[in-house]
Amino acid sequence: MPAEVSSASPSSPALTERQEARRQRILHASAQLASRGGFDAVQMREVAESSQVALGTLYRYFPSKVHLLVATMQAQLEHMHGTLRKKPPQGATAAERVAETLMRAFRALQREPHLADAMVRALTFADRSVSPEVDQVSRQTTMIILDAMGLEDPTPQQLSAVRVIEHTWHSALITWLSGRASIAQVKIDIETVCRLIDLTAPEEPARRR
């Protein structure tokens, strides 16, 4: 699954064109190695060699393998978002569109199980030092869900529902990757949690008679 890579987090200094190209090579190498052998296959020295950067340079971009793989997940989600925008979900309700969107994203990850496992494991291992990268993954997932809902200005209640949906989606990935849930069960869980969207929709003002 190819990835178009975003820049560093919003709070970081903007990267030059050359630095961004280097970062793209690093994340591409990370995804390629993970696709072939999962979490253990992503070794920083091999990533540096594959992306043609010095090992010290790699560590300046990503202080650890966990930082690198969480950033790789953000890049993969960004690529998925672009694909989803080209072919928006067709559900009749916001809940149906979000469920369809998340299942399409899930199936994309399903096609690359080693990569999915590596990224989810990194997200699970992430401590506070990886907070900026984890926050980017969360922001990207939120944007995907809000786009599917067709919302630009969600209410606090709707944002709460989105957060619960995110947590359920990530949990479903973990249980599927560990063999504790079938794809059919994942679909049921996603469709169930997406019904929260209907519960948090603002009520329309009553019409005057």
Side-chain angles (χ1 to χ4, degrees), residues 103 106-107 110 172 176 181-192:
M103 285 308 299
F106 180 83
R107 291 188 185 102
Q110 184 189 355
W176 171 71
S182 64
I183 294 168
Q185 186 60 56
V186 168
K187 186 172 187 292
I188 291 169
D189 291 349
I190 294 299
E191 289 175 347
T192 299

Side-chain angles (χ1 to χ4, degrees), residues 138 142 145 155-170 193 196:
S138 180
T142 296
I145 294 171
T155 66
Q157 291 79 13
Q158 287 172 322
L159 283 175
S160 291
V162 168
R163 282 194 294 272
V164 174
I165 292 168
E166 283 182 42
H167 295 327
T168 302
W169 187 67
H170 287 138
V193 76
L196 284 175

Side-chain angles (χ1 to χ4, degrees), residues 20 29 37-38 57 61 86 88 91 119-120 127 133 157 166 181 189 205:
E20 181 62 24
T57 300
Y61 280 81
K86 292 175 185 175
M119 295 187 300
V120 171
D127 59 21
E133 289 81 5
Q157 291 79 13
E166 283 182 42
D189 291 349

Side-chain angles (χ1 to χ4, degrees), residues 117-150:
D117 182 65
M119 295 187 300
V120 171
R121 283 178 66 182
L123 201 63
T124 304
F125 295 155
D127 59 21
R128 289 184 181 181
S129 70
V130 197
S131 290
E133 289 81 5
V134 172
D135 287 346
Q136 278 200 283
V137 168
S138 180
R139 278 194 294 270
Q140 192 67 55
T141 309
T142 296
M143 285 191 290
I144 289 172
I145 294 171
L146 291 177
D147 261 14
M149 291 171 69

